[in-house]
């Protein structure tokens, strides 16, 4: 089974730790790109690193998870990396659509905006969903080619 890449800044540290541990408890291999303490760090650097790894190694990573205070900063940063479709999720419907319609390869969450149980539910919803192909295929392809 492919690995999951994960990263955060200080605003998403606590949530990242919870999600990483729960994923590992369910048997998933998770590569943690930091940060590793709640001390302040620059979120663009960590988001770029996770996004570059996911974009460059699709055989290794199924997808990536990024957490910051709101999930916004890491999604903006990740989407600057070619081939990345990072989706900021705040509800389970969006988390499902992120896979079914957008084939997102990174999901982002806000450690200061969503509770841990909602984040876990969204993550599981995303992981269980499948890309629907069809009409969504050329749209996702257009994103990749832009
Ligand atoms: C850090 O204080 C905060 O700005 C960051 O975690 C994130 O919310 C940025 O989008």
């Amino acid at each position: 089974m492919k690995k999951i890449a994960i990263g955060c800044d200080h605003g998403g540290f606590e949530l990242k730790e919870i999600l990483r541990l729960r994923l590992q408890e369910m048997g998933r291999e998770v590569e943690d790109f930091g940060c590793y303490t709640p001390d302040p760090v620059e979120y663009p650097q960590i988001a770029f690193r996770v996004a570059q790894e996911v974009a460059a190694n699709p055989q290794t990573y199924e997808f990536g998870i990024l957490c910051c205070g709101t999930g916004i900063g890491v999604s903006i940063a990740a989407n600057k990396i070619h081939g990345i479709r990072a989706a900021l999720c705040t509800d389970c419907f969006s988390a499902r659509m992120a896979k079914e319609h957008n084939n997102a390869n990174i999901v982002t969450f806000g450690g200061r905006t969503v509770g841990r149980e909602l984040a876990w539910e969204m993550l599981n919803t995303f992981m269980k969903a499948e890309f629907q192909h069809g009409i969504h295929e050329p749209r996702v392809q257009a994103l990749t080619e832009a």
Side-chain angles (χ1 to χ4, degrees):
M1 191 176 275
K2 291 183 189 180
K3 291 199 274 188
I4 298 169
I6 199 164
C8 69
D9 76 351
H10 50 290
F13 174 71
E14 199 180 330
L15 180 59
K16 182 268 284 181
E17 287 293 289
I18 288 161
L19 298 179
R20 178 180 61 75
L21 284 168
R22 289 191 182 184
L23 285 166
Q24 288 170 333
E25 276 166 14
M26 65 190 270
R28 293 302 305 250
E29 194 176 348
V30 184
E31 186 92 28
D32 188 351
F33 292 91
C35 55
Y36 306 108
T37 75
D39 297 332
V41 290
E42 302 300 306
Y43 66 81
Q45 291 168 10
I46 287 162
F48 290 153
R49 178 81 203 286
V50 169
Q52 280 158 354
E53 291 287 340
V54 170
N57 304 295
Q59 304 308 319
T60 304
Y61 297 106
E62 184 184 330
F63 70 100
I65 303 166
L66 285 166
C67 303
C68 65
T70 57
I72 296 172
V74 287
S75 69
I76 293 170
N79 277 315
K80 287 192 166 288
I81 304 302
H82 193 258
I84 289 299
R85 295 175 300 281
L88 168 58
C89 297
T90 56
D91 63 89
C92 288
F93 178 75
S94 298
R96 183 161 65 84
M97 288 299 113
K99 177 70 74 58
E100 289 189 356
H101 286 195
N102 312 114
N103 202 16
N105 48 12
I106 289 185
V107 283
T108 79
F109 303 118
R112 296 171 181 159
T113 57
V114 297
R116 60 179 65 178
E117 298 307 330
L118 175 56
W120 180 239
E121 196 72 31
M122 290 192 288
L123 180 54
N124 277 281
T125 300
F126 176 79
M127 291 195 295
K128 282 181 198 142
E130 287 182 14
F131 181 45
Q132 293 299 297
H133 296 275
I135 189 59
H136 307 294
E137 195 89 55
R139 295 169 182 165
V140 169
Q141 188 63 28
L143 295 175
T144 307
E145 286 164 6

PDB file of all heavy atoms in Angstrom, residues 9-12 41 43 67-76 110 112, ligand 1:
ATOM      1  N   ASP A   9       2.352  23.292  10.107  1.00  0.00           N
ATOM      2  CA  ASP A   9       3.090  24.319  10.844  1.00  0.00           C
ATOM      3  C   ASP A   9       2.616  24.263  12.294  1.00  0.00           C
ATOM      4  O   ASP A   9       1.870  23.351  12.689  1.00  0.00           O
ATOM      5  CB  ASP A   9       2.941  25.713  10.199  1.00  0.00           C
ATOM      6  CG  ASP A   9       1.589  26.367  10.476  1.00  0.00           C
ATOM      7  OD1 ASP A   9       0.680  25.698  11.022  1.00  0.00           O
ATOM      8  OD2 ASP A   9       1.444  27.561  10.155  1.00  0.00           O
ATOM      9  N   HIS A  10       3.022  25.247  13.079  1.00  0.00           N
ATOM     10  CA  HIS A  10       2.658  25.237  14.497  1.00  0.00           C
ATOM     11  C   HIS A  10       1.145  25.320  14.704  1.00  0.00           C
ATOM     12  O   HIS A  10       0.615  24.744  15.651  1.00  0.00           O
ATOM     13  CB  HIS A  10       3.359  26.386  15.235  1.00  0.00           C
ATOM     14  CG  HIS A  10       3.203  27.710  14.566  1.00  0.00           C
ATOM     15  ND1 HIS A  10       3.824  28.006  13.357  1.00  0.00           N
ATOM     16  CD2 HIS A  10       2.479  28.808  14.896  1.00  0.00           C
ATOM     17  CE1 HIS A  10       3.487  29.232  13.001  1.00  0.00           C
ATOM     18  NE2 HIS A  10       2.673  29.740  13.903  1.00  0.00           N
ATOM     19  N   GLY A  11       0.437  26.024  13.792  1.00  0.00           N
ATOM     20  CA  GLY A  11      -1.017  26.160  13.918  1.00  0.00           C
ATOM     21  C   GLY A  11      -1.752  24.856  13.678  1.00  0.00           C
ATOM     22  O   GLY A  11      -2.900  24.688  14.095  1.00  0.00           O
ATOM     23  N   GLY A  12      -1.097  23.926  12.977  1.00  0.00           N
ATOM     24  CA  GLY A  12      -1.734  22.644  12.678  1.00  0.00           C
ATOM     25  C   GLY A  12      -1.034  21.473  13.332  1.00  0.00           C
ATOM     26  O   GLY A  12      -1.378  20.314  13.061  1.00  0.00           O
ATOM     27  N   VAL A  41       7.001  27.888  12.920  1.00  0.00           N
ATOM     28  CA  VAL A  41       7.771  27.597  11.697  1.00  0.00           C
ATOM     29  C   VAL A  41       7.075  28.277  10.521  1.00  0.00           C
ATOM     30  O   VAL A  41       5.940  28.756  10.649  1.00  0.00           O
ATOM     31  CB  VAL A  41       7.855  26.072  11.418  1.00  0.00           C
ATOM     32  CG1 VAL A  41       8.726  25.373  12.433  1.00  0.00           C
ATOM     33  CG2 VAL A  41       6.463  25.450  11.382  1.00  0.00           C
ATOM     34  N   TYR A  43       5.097  28.047   7.304  1.00  0.00           N
ATOM     35  CA  TYR A  43       4.284  27.018   6.651  1.00  0.00           C
ATOM     36  C   TYR A  43       4.575  26.818   5.161  1.00  0.00           C
ATOM     37  O   TYR A  43       4.449  25.698   4.662  1.00  0.00           O
ATOM     38  CB  TYR A  43       2.779  27.247   6.886  1.00  0.00           C
ATOM     39  CG  TYR A  43       2.211  28.483   6.260  1.00  0.00           C
ATOM     40  CD1 TYR A  43       1.871  28.518   4.921  1.00  0.00           C
ATOM     41  CD2 TYR A  43       1.998  29.633   7.012  1.00  0.00           C
ATOM     42  CE1 TYR A  43       1.343  29.657   4.341  1.00  0.00           C
ATOM     43  CE2 TYR A  43       1.475  30.768   6.458  1.00  0.00           C
ATOM     44  CZ  TYR A  43       1.157  30.791   5.115  1.00  0.00           C
ATOM     45  OH  TYR A  43       0.654  31.920   4.546  1.00  0.00           O
ATOM     46  N   CYS A  67      -1.644  20.553   7.422  1.00  0.00           N
ATOM     47  CA  CYS A  67      -2.429  21.278   8.428  1.00  0.00           C
ATOM     48  C   CYS A  67      -1.713  22.558   8.812  1.00  0.00           C
ATOM     49  O   CYS A  67      -0.500  22.548   9.065  1.00  0.00           O
ATOM     50  CB  CYS A  67      -2.593  20.441   9.697  1.00  0.00           C
ATOM     51  SG  CYS A  67      -3.341  18.815   9.450  1.00  0.00           S
ATOM     52  N   CYS A  68      -2.451  23.665   8.848  1.00  0.00           N
ATOM     53  CA  CYS A  68      -1.941  24.896   9.443  1.00  0.00           C
ATOM     54  C   CYS A  68      -3.087  25.461  10.277  1.00  0.00           C
ATOM     55  O   CYS A  68      -4.042  24.742  10.583  1.00  0.00           O
ATOM     56  CB  CYS A  68      -1.403  25.876   8.398  1.00  0.00           C
ATOM     57  SG  CYS A  68      -2.606  26.560   7.244  1.00  0.00           S
ATOM     58  N   GLY A  69      -3.028  26.724  10.645  1.00  0.00           N
ATOM     59  CA  GLY A  69      -4.074  27.264  11.504  1.00  0.00           C
ATOM     60  C   GLY A  69      -5.451  27.184  10.867  1.00  0.00           C
ATOM     61  O   GLY A  69      -6.428  26.766  11.496  1.00  0.00           O
ATOM     62  N   THR A  70      -5.512  27.576   9.602  1.00  0.00           N
ATOM     63  CA  THR A  70      -6.780  27.571   8.876  1.00  0.00           C
ATOM     64  C   THR A  70      -6.830  26.538   7.751  1.00  0.00           C
ATOM     65  O   THR A  70      -7.904  26.275   7.208  1.00  0.00           O
ATOM     66  CB  THR A  70      -7.011  28.945   8.216  1.00  0.00           C
ATOM     67  OG1 THR A  70      -5.884  29.207   7.358  1.00  0.00           O
ATOM     68  CG2 THR A  70      -7.137  30.053   9.254  1.00  0.00           C
ATOM     69  N   GLY A  71      -5.686  26.036   7.359  1.00  0.00           N
ATOM     70  CA  GLY A  71      -5.592  25.175   6.179  1.00  0.00           C
ATOM     71  C   GLY A  71      -5.428  25.990   4.909  1.00  0.00           C
ATOM     72  O   GLY A  71      -5.166  25.422   3.835  1.00  0.00           O
ATOM     73  N   ILE A  72      -5.566  27.293   5.016  1.00  0.00           N
ATOM     74  CA  ILE A  72      -5.515  28.152   3.816  1.00  0.00           C
ATOM     75  C   ILE A  72      -4.080  28.320   3.315  1.00  0.00           C
ATOM     76  O   ILE A  72      -3.796  28.124   2.126  1.00  0.00           O
ATOM     77  CB  ILE A  72      -6.149  29.534   4.103  1.00  0.00           C
ATOM     78  CG1 ILE A  72      -7.634  29.388   4.416  1.00  0.00           C
ATOM     79  CG2 ILE A  72      -5.959  30.463   2.903  1.00  0.00           C
ATOM     80  CD1 ILE A  72      -8.292  30.682   4.911  1.00  0.00           C
ATOM     81  N   GLY A  73      -3.198  28.721   4.214  1.00  0.00           N
ATOM     82  CA  GLY A  73      -1.818  28.989   3.801  1.00  0.00           C
ATOM     83  C   GLY A  73      -1.159  27.785   3.151  1.00  0.00           C
ATOM     84  O   GLY A  73      -0.516  27.907   2.095  1.00  0.00           O
ATOM     85  N   VAL A  74      -1.324  26.622   3.765  1.00  0.00           N
ATOM     86  CA  VAL A  74      -0.695  25.415   3.194  1.00  0.00           C
ATOM     87  C   VAL A  74      -1.335  25.022   1.863  1.00  0.00           C
ATOM     88  O   VAL A  74      -0.661  24.492   0.981  1.00  0.00           O
ATOM     89  CB  VAL A  74      -0.700  24.228   4.182  1.00  0.00           C
ATOM     90  CG1 VAL A  74       0.309  24.438   5.306  1.00  0.00           C
ATOM     91  CG2 VAL A  74      -2.092  23.948   4.731  1.00  0.00           C
ATOM     92  N   SER A  75      -2.633  25.301   1.686  1.00  0.00           N
ATOM     93  CA  SER A  75      -3.261  24.958   0.401  1.00  0.00           C
ATOM     94  C   SER A  75      -2.778  25.901  -0.697  1.00  0.00           C
ATOM     95  O   SER A  75      -2.507  25.460  -1.817  1.00  0.00           O
ATOM     96  CB  SER A  75      -4.790  24.951   0.504  1.00  0.00           C
ATOM     97  OG  SER A  75      -5.297  26.245   0.685  1.00  0.00           O
ATOM     98  N   ILE A  76      -2.629  27.184  -0.367  1.00  0.00           N
ATOM     99  CA  ILE A  76      -2.101  28.134  -1.365  1.00  0.00           C
ATOM    100  C   ILE A  76      -0.687  27.712  -1.774  1.00  0.00           C
ATOM    101  O   ILE A  76      -0.363  27.663  -2.968  1.00  0.00           O
ATOM    102  CB  ILE A  76      -2.103  29.572  -0.806  1.00  0.00           C
ATOM    103  CG1 ILE A  76      -3.534  30.065  -0.601  1.00  0.00           C
ATOM    104  CG2 ILE A  76      -1.343  30.518  -1.736  1.00  0.00           C
ATOM    105  CD1 ILE A  76      -3.645  31.387   0.165  1.00  0.00           C
ATOM    106  N   GLY A 110      -7.603  22.940   8.860  1.00  0.00           N
ATOM    107  CA  GLY A 110      -7.215  23.987   9.797  1.00  0.00           C
ATOM    108  C   GLY A 110      -7.279  23.488  11.228  1.00  0.00           C
ATOM    109  O   GLY A 110      -8.345  23.122  11.725  1.00  0.00           O
ATOM    110  N   ARG A 112      -7.044  25.246  13.780  1.00  0.00           N
ATOM    111  CA  ARG A 112      -7.739  26.208  14.619  1.00  0.00           C
ATOM    112  C   ARG A 112      -9.187  26.411  14.192  1.00  0.00           C
ATOM    113  O   ARG A 112      -9.895  27.234  14.774  1.00  0.00           O
ATOM    114  CB  ARG A 112      -7.014  27.560  14.571  1.00  0.00           C
ATOM    115  CG  ARG A 112      -5.609  27.520  15.136  1.00  0.00           C
ATOM    116  CD  ARG A 112      -4.859  28.815  14.862  1.00  0.00           C
ATOM    117  NE  ARG A 112      -3.499  28.768  15.397  1.00  0.00           N
ATOM    118  CZ  ARG A 112      -2.494  29.546  15.003  1.00  0.00           C
ATOM    119  NH1 ARG A 112      -2.705  30.455  14.057  1.00  0.00           N
ATOM    120  NH2 ARG A 112      -1.305  29.432  15.528  1.00  0.00           N
TER     121      ARG A 112
HETATM  122  C1  LIG B   1       0.188  30.821  11.738  1.00  0.00           C
HETATM  123  O1  LIG B   1      -0.076  31.688  12.791  1.00  0.00           O
HETATM  124  C2  LIG B   1      -0.950  30.861  10.721  1.00  0.00           C
HETATM  125  O2  LIG B   1      -0.882  32.032   9.988  1.00  0.00           O
HETATM  126  C3  LIG B   1      -0.895  29.655   9.821  1.00  0.00           C
HETATM  127  O3  LIG B   1      -0.959  28.506  10.588  1.00  0.00           O
HETATM  128  C4  LIG B   1      -1.991  29.503   8.785  1.00  0.00           C
HETATM  129  O4  LIG B   1      -3.243  29.646   9.367  1.00  0.00           O
HETATM  130  C5  LIG B   1      -1.845  30.277   7.560  1.00  0.00           C
HETATM  131  O5  LIG B   1      -2.642  30.179   6.637  1.00  0.00           O
END
